[in-house]
Amino acid sequence: MYSKSKRLFSLILSFLLAIGIFNIPVKAENETVHLTILGTTDLHANIYNWSYEDGKEVDDLGMTKVYSVIKAVREENPNTLLLDNGDTIQGTILSDDLYNNNLDLSHPVIDVMNFMGYDAMTLGNHEFNFGLELIHKIVDEAEFPILGANIRWKDGPNFAEPYIIKEVAGIKIGIIGLTNPNIPRWDGPKVTELEFEAINVATRKYVGELKDKVDVLVVLAHSGLDSEYGDADSVRLAIEENPEIDVAIVGHAHISVSEMVGNTVVGGARDAGKQVIRFDLILEKEGDNWAIIDKKVELIDVAAYEASEELKEYAKEYHEATLDFLEEVIGQATEDFHPASEVKGIPEGQIRDTAVMDLINDVQLKYSGADISAAALFQPSSNISKGDITYSSIFDIYKYPNTLVGVEVTGKELKNYMEWSASYYNTYKPGDVTISFNPNIRGYNYDMFQGVEYKIDISKPAGERIVDLTFKGKPVKDDDVFKLAINNYRLSGLQSMGIINNEPYFDSDPISLRSYIAQYIRELGTIEPNVDNNWEIIGADLDHPLRDYIIEQVNLGNIAIPTSEDGRTVNVKSLNVYELIEEGLIPDELLTDIEIEETVTDSIVVKEAPTAEYTFSKYDEYVVKPGDVLWKIAEKFNTTWQRLAEFNKLKNPHLIFPGQKIIIPQN
């Protein structure tokens, strides 16, 4: 009887609970939620998977590819957030030459991001390239918050929202957006009203505000994980000082990052939408709060996905407007402006004067009225190709939306600037057969100068390399004064380093350098590659007898030219004969044992040819030192390496060793 009554009571109670008469909370055991956070970074206005410079579709970039990834993940897990890490609205002809300079037009990148359903974005440094008005405009147009926790007006208030709290499946997620504090270094004149706080300092402040209000804490930081110019831009430092951070998205460096820093899971992706960062968090309910019990990060390569036709159709008007803009032929080139590389993987334009650099510097000199000009080769392959020149050709040789400035400098400032630039090269060492670049310096930070003549001696340490510097045939003196033409980005950097002190006497803003290059070509109609060879690299003895073989093997793909770990700097280590021998990359047939016939007589007979015999009554002995090559020894004794090789019966004249004796005939 009792058990029947109990069963009846249980049924009634269950019914009452189901219809809500009793307001008694019911909690599932071990309730868990799977949260996914997707991140993009450094999209640089690549909406379509299309190269406007080459006029063709590409497989491994673009927001149309990114969107296919996003849709697939959202179908898998509806509890998904989508965040962007900045450097988003700049970087293509579509953005920089059509829409970023026209505030009356809707911004295509922001429009597309609204369509894709972004939840938040932080400002990158390139968002500031076009001035604050454009930033105000995109903030108004975006249907998601645009963040900047470490940016303030100089009179105190925040320039942008510092953070937001999003709720997904009952989970509260705090998202702090931070930008790169080095923006004044690059865009100084455009941000004079703003102050940029160190990332770790701003992070500490807002983590303190949020940590007790949210279940998950995300930092969205447009900076590298490790420092570029010091602690102020280090995301790693911010994480170490704030272990409450659960997830950090990094960027700016255009490299893949997927690792744990303490208890924080960190992700960063390559630029242009090549990769999407995916974080997966498993959370378990603990009372009124949620605790993360598992988290991981992975990088998704977009090349494995088809471009979204839905997004292509949505953004079609922007893409077609850009194609129409590029159709106009603005001039003709009689020949290619960038010579083919002698060594595959080593751009000629960064080891000698070329017509590409002379063209850019000629444009800067003409429109600034300067005495001297300096510019960089932004892309190793930059070229004006023979034939029709369109705006995409201009973009290929000048990819950034910089403006032109003219500034007065002293001879001392000029030399300091040139020494700073020349540190791009690695120091020559004996046995090197190629010239290489400092892996810690990007190619866009190596400037070449026009209007002066100079040499770069790479046998000397950085800071002591500029020699024979003359202006109009006269040596440059420290107290000379010159008008120098450079881009606005470089001027800001040089001023922040204390290399240049004056303010510009000329500023082309808002006219870009690309516009000047296009105007210059339009005026001439036909251009031909002219090079004045006003500079050269010296101090590198590259004519080792094995060089031809080594270069041949590089060009065949059998010996690789080293690149930096992140892949962004090419040719970071010189090929060295002695190192290649140690690595076993020189075949045995070129490395036969060297036999030296030693004699104590005063007369040595050597057969130089089958039909000739020569007798020497006097000779010297030379002991090979580290770094010696046979032709250098021959030059020292006023003879030829071929003669020494024959006289010493060297089976392999390309290879001599320290301590080896070389007999030098005296007649």
Side-chain angles (χ1 to χ4, degrees):
M1 183 73 176
Y2 173 77
S3 85
K4 288 183 180 179
S5 299
K6 186 176 179 182
R7 284 198 301 271
L8 179 61
F9 176 78
S10 296
L11 288 170
I12 294 170
L13 179 60
S14 299
F15 174 74
L16 293 174
L17 286 171
I19 64 174
I21 290 178
F22 292 142
N23 188 22
I24 300 173
V26 179
K27 173 181 171 295
E29 290 299 320
N30 299 319
E31 184 180 351
T32 61
V33 169
H34 175 195
L35 173 67
T36 300
I37 300 172
L38 297 179
T40 55
T41 187
D42 298 274
L43 290 171
H44 285 293
N46 285 275
I47 296 176
Y48 267 50
N49 57 314
W50 186 271
S51 169
Y52 292 111
E53 298 76 48
D54 302 320
K56 63 182 181 182
E57 193 171 89
V58 287
D59 288 332
D60 64 346
L61 59 79
M63 296 168 78
T64 54
K65 288 269 193 169
V66 168
Y67 190 50
S68 293
V69 175
I70 292 164
K71 290 203 317 182
V73 174
R74 282 173 173 164
E75 287 178 11
E76 174 192 332
N77 182 16
N79 300 325
T80 296
L81 276 176
L82 177 59
L83 308 175
D84 182 75
N85 201 36
D87 274 11
T88 308
I89 66 166
Q90 170 277 335
T92 65
I93 294 172
L94 177 150
S95 59
D96 300 1
D97 297 282
L98 272 73
Y99 292 96
N100 284 347
N101 291 304
N102 191 336
L103 299 181
D104 295 328
L105 299 174
S106 296
H107 200 285
V109 176
I110 299 300
D111 186 19
V112 166
M113 292 177 78
N114 288 338
F115 177 83
M116 294 169 72
Y118 273 84
D119 293 291
M121 165 188 164
T122 198
L123 291 165
N125 54 288
H126 281 294
E127 267 68 65
F128 291 85
N129 289 169
F130 298 87
L132 303 186
E133 278 190 87
L134 180 61
I135 295 177
H136 295 320
K137 169 186 161 62
I138 65 170
V139 168
D140 289 342
E141 292 180 359
E143 295 171 3
F144 49 88
I146 296 180
L147 309 175
N150 58 332
I151 317 168
R152 307 183 73 82
W153 294 102
K154 284 188 175 177
D155 59 5
N158 287 69
F159 175 74
E161 288 185 64
Y163 63 80
I164 60 165
I165 298 175
K166 293 283 292 186
E167 188 167 321
V168 177
I171 298 165
K172 293 179 180 177
I173 304 129
I175 303 163
I176 302 170
L178 300 140
T179 196
N180 198 302
N182 297 302
I183 288 169
R185 176 188 292 266
W186 304 311
D187 272 316
K190 295 180 180 178
V191 295
T192 55
E193 302 168 79
L194 301 177
E195 292 179 343
F196 295 82
E197 198 169 31
I199 285 175
N200 63 312
V201 174
T203 302
R204 189 184 314 128
K205 174 182 177 181
Y206 291 111
V207 166
E209 285 189 22
L210 281 173
K211 63 182 180 180
D212 295 328
K213 300 177 183 178
V214 298
D215 303 300
V216 177
L217 198 48
V218 178
V219 163
L220 193 58
H222 187 81
S223 193
L225 179 57
D226 294 301
S227 62
E228 183 178 12
Y229 292 106
D231 287 348
D233 60 43
S234 170
V235 181
R236 186 183 297 276
L237 178 62
I239 294 170
E240 290 172 348
E241 291 182 354
N242 299 276
E244 301 91 343
I245 298 169
D246 299 301
V247 174
I249 299 178
V250 296
H252 183 66
H254 297 189
I255 60 174
S256 301
V257 178
S258 56
E259 62 181 87
M260 295 292 296
V261 177
N263 198 41
T264 303
V265 63
V266 184
R270 295 169 62 206
D271 63 309
K274 295 181 177 72
Q275 293 176 317
V276 176
I277 312 158
R278 174 174 178 164
F279 300 93
D280 286 290
L281 283 66
I282 306 299
L283 295 99
E284 186 176 77
K285 195 71 178 289
E286 292 184 353
D288 294 331
N289 300 314
W290 292 87
I292 299 173
I293 60 173
D294 190 28
K295 53 188 168 186
K296 65 178 182 178
V297 60
E298 66 174 306
L299 302 178
I300 303 171
D301 292 324
V302 303
Y305 291 75
E306 294 294 324
S308 166
E309 293 299 327
E310 182 184 8
L311 185 51
K312 278 188 175 183
E313 184 61 31
Y314 184 82
K316 185 176 180 180
E317 64 174 290
Y318 305 124
H319 179 61
E320 290 186 346
T322 309
L323 295 178
D324 290 343
F325 174 74
L326 292 172
E327 283 183 0
E328 180 190 0
V329 175
I330 61 176
Q332 297 285 324
T334 59
E335 298 291 340
D336 282 3
F337 273 58
H338 192 152
S341 293
E342 178 202 11
V343 185
K344 189 176 181 180
I346 303 180
E348 292 292 310
Q350 289 178 313
I351 57 175
R352 64 180 171 107
D353 200 9
T354 64
V356 171
M357 293 313 306
D358 279 11
L359 171 66
I360 295 170
N361 277 318
D362 285 346
V363 169
Q364 293 188 171
L365 289 169
K366 175 176 179 175
Y367 293 105
S368 68
D371 306 305
I372 300 165
S373 175
L377 188 72
F378 291 138
Q379 300 184 114
S381 61
S382 294
N383 187 27
I384 295 284
S385 300
K386 179 180 179 180
D388 290 347
I389 302 172
T390 64
Y391 207 89
S392 62
S393 309
I394 309 303
F395 195 89
D396 185 49
I397 68 167
Y398 212 97
K399 66 178 290 188
Y400 297 112
N402 298 329
T403 55
L404 176 63
V405 297
V407 61
E408 285 194 346
V409 297
T410 65
K412 184 176 182 180
E413 287 176 324
L414 175 66
K415 284 187 274 189
N416 288 340
Y417 172 19
M418 296 177 77
E419 289 288 3
W420 170 82
S421 182
S423 63
Y424 181 61
Y425 295 109
N426 290 323
T427 304
Y428 168 80
K429 61 183 183 297
D432 285 352
V433 295
T434 60
I435 295 166
S436 61
F437 313 140
N438 187 327
N440 299 315
I441 300 175
R442 303 295 185 207
Y444 54 69
N445 278 329
Y446 171 56
D447 289 349
M448 289 157 269
F449 296 77
Q450 190 84 355
V452 288
E453 293 190 344
Y454 63 101
K455 297 180 177 68
I456 303 171
D457 188 344
I458 62 171
S459 69
K460 297 182 178 180
E464 302 174 15
R465 291 177 170 172
I466 301 299
V467 297
D468 299 334
L469 174 61
T470 62
F471 176 74
K472 295 184 177 179
K474 296 181 180 180
V476 171
K477 299 176 182 177
D478 284 355
D479 58 356
D480 287 339
V481 176
F482 305 101
K483 290 181 177 179
L484 173 68
I486 50 178
N487 69 61
N488 64 304
Y489 210 70
R490 179 68 77 239
L491 177 62
S492 293
L494 293 170
Q495 288 175 327
S496 69
M497 289 184 282
I499 293 175
I500 290 179
N501 296 300
N502 287 335
E503 293 300 318
Y505 68 83
F506 169 84
D507 190 342
S508 73
D509 191 28
I511 301 172
S512 70
L513 259 164
R514 282 206 294 262
S515 296
Y516 277 135
I517 296 170
Q519 181 179 332
Y520 181 85
I521 294 171
R522 281 193 182 99
E523 290 174 359
L524 291 176
T526 298
I527 58 173
E528 56 185 48
N530 294 313
V531 188
D532 65 1
N533 295 308
N534 66 304
W535 67 275
E536 64 175 321
I537 297 172
I538 63 170
D541 238 335
L542 306 178
D543 295 328
H544 191 281
L546 272 176
R547 184 177 191 272
D548 289 346
Y549 170 79
I550 293 168
I551 300 313
E552 178 187 45
Q553 294 306 302
V554 171
N555 293 336
L556 289 172
N558 298 327
I559 295 177
I561 297 291
T563 60
S564 60
E565 288 185 13
D566 60 18
R568 294 184 66 191
T569 303
V570 299
N571 182 38
V572 297
K573 189 175 185 298
S574 298
L575 297 179
N576 185 278
V577 170
Y578 307 116
E579 292 173 2
L580 292 174
I581 291 169
E582 289 181 7
E583 293 169 19
L585 293 175
I586 306 298
D588 290 343
E589 57 264 29
L590 294 180
L591 299 176
T592 55
D593 292 334
I594 298 174
E595 297 175 3
I596 302 176
E597 182 180 319
E598 297 190 47
T599 180
V600 294
T601 66
D602 289 334
S603 180
I604 300 175
V605 178
V606 178
K607 291 184 178 180
E608 287 195 321
T611 59
E613 197 171 84
Y614 298 88
T615 301
F616 299 96
S617 59
K618 296 181 180 179
Y619 64 92
D620 290 322
E621 281 187 353
Y622 178 81
V623 178
V624 176
K625 299 178 178 61
D628 275 341
V629 290
L630 198 62
W631 72 266
K632 282 187 179 181
I633 299 170
E635 193 174 68
K636 184 179 295 187
F637 290 97
N638 198 29
T639 185
T640 67
W641 70 266
Q642 293 92 340
R643 192 171 185 224
L644 291 182
E646 288 290 335
F647 186 69
N648 286 273
K649 297 183 178 179
L650 299 181
K651 293 181 180 179
N652 182 2
H654 305 323
L655 185 63
I656 55 177
F657 297 98
Q660 179 180 339
K661 292 180 180 179
I662 301 293
I663 299 171
I664 313 293
Q666 292 187 2
N667 63 335

